[in-house]
Amino acid sequence: MKISLTTPVLSSLDTFLKLIDELFAYEALPQKVEQTSAAVKQLLASPELGHAWFIEVEENGETQIAGHLIVSYTFSLEHGGKVGLIDQFYLKPEWRQKGIGSALFPQVEQNVINDGIKALSLEVNIGNAGARTFYERQGFVPRRQFCMMTKTLVQSTVPLHVAS
């Protein structure tokens, strides 16, 4: 089995969005389809924001898309520069528990190192012991003293108060 990462292009957007939809359904996450589509297009057009890949598996001369992975980039003083956040890592159910993730992570790490990334972070459901064990085997360390928090922002008009 040969496992590789390929970058989606706009002509493969429907396939990529279908995989993302499968992930959202699997994780029971709410999704705004138009927002997701716009964000994917922005990511594919702006490599400085991060990287998206199809996970392809070649087996018996046949290549199939087994899932996808998205790493978004930001900056951290703590880590001394650009860092990546694994925003999505999805394998279709029939491809899980076959060693794909273990074979894949060195490729992902080398790709992001080439982009100047100093550290990788990710979120994992605290109750998903299997995923947590997998990520720990890949060298990720739980930061038990931290709790990731999120606030969704909505653009609005804020009145300006000008003092003279």
Side-chain angles (χ1 to χ4, degrees), residues 26-48:
Y26 176 76
E27 294 287 342
L29 296 170
Q31 181 185 184
K32 299 175 183 169
V33 175
E34 290 172 7
Q35 175 181 298
T36 300
S37 178
V40 168
K41 289 175 187 175
Q42 184 179 10
L43 177 63
L44 294 178
S46 307
E48 70 277 4

Side-chain angles (χ1 to χ4, degrees), residues 6 13-14 44 68 74 82 90 127 129 139 147 150-151 156 158:
T6 59
L13 185 62
D14 287 344
L44 294 178
H68 74 280
T74 189
K82 279 175 51 175
Y90 175 71
C147 170
T150 303
K151 178 181 180 181
S156 62
V158 178

Side-chain angles (χ1 to χ4, degrees), residues 51-66:
H51 209 96
W53 295 281
F54 283 127
I55 301 165
E56 292 187 347
V57 177
E58 183 182 328
E59 197 172 47
N60 302 323
E62 185 180 331
T63 301
Q64 297 182 50
I65 295 174

Side-chain angles (χ1 to χ4, degrees), residues 47-124:
E48 70 277 4
L49 295 177
H51 209 96
W53 295 281
F54 283 127
I55 301 165
E56 292 187 347
V57 177
E58 183 182 328
E59 197 172 47
N60 302 323
E62 185 180 331
T63 301
Q64 297 182 50
I65 295 174
H68 74 280
L69 194 136
I70 298 173
V71 178
S72 59
Y73 296 162
T74 189
F75 189 86
S76 168
L77 294 177
E78 178 184 353
H79 296 290
K82 279 175 51 175
V83 295
L85 171 69
I86 297 175
D87 185 52
Q88 294 188 355
F89 173 32
Y90 175 71
L91 284 173
K92 293 180 179 185
E94 65 268 24
W95 291 106
R96 296 178 191 155
Q97 302 293 316
K98 295 183 183 253
I100 293 171
S102 297
L104 186 72
F105 265 82
Q107 292 180 54
V108 171
E109 290 172 9
Q110 192 56 57
N111 272 283
V112 299
I113 286 169
N114 292 342
D115 280 349
I117 298 302
K118 307 288 185 194
L120 271 176
S121 296
L122 56 83
E123 288 181 82
V124 62

